[in-house]
Amino acid sequence: MAKGKSQYATWFCGGCKRANYVTYYNKRENERIVKELKKFCPQCRSHQEHKRKDTKKGN
Ligand SMILES: [Zn+2]
């Protein structure tokens, strides 16, 4: 049974540009998801703004 496509989002640190987090969500929930998140970056060893970049599964 075909389910709704899951959209993946990769979160890049605004400081070192490292991809630290990957999340996925349904397209319907897309509007609820913010463009930036403050998360901990292991590379910077501090909390940094992370910018989201959408990616599709299998691409
Ligand atoms: Zn960083």
Side-chain angles (χ1 to χ4, degrees):
M1 187 174 277
K3 225 178 176 183
K5 289 179 188 170
S6 289
Q7 188 89 17
Y8 284 75
T10 307
W11 296 91
F12 292 88
C13 173
C16 64
K17 313 292 186 194
R18 188 186 179 92
N20 289 320
Y21 299 93
V22 176
T23 57
Y24 71 94
Y25 55 91
N26 294 324
K27 277 211 162 181
R28 282 186 180 178
E29 299 174 27
N30 190 15
E31 294 172 14
R32 291 170 48 200
I33 298 185
V34 293
K35 290 271 169 73
E36 291 186 352
L37 271 183
K38 203 154 200 183
K39 284 177 170 288
F40 181 80
C41 175
Q43 182 111 325
C44 299
R45 296 182 136 189
S46 63
H47 280 80
Q48 299 284 338
E49 289 289 338
H50 281 64
K51 292 196 174 179
R52 166 186 155 201
K53 187 180 181 185
D54 291 348
T55 51
K56 284 180 185 173
K57 189 181 181 184
N59 189 11

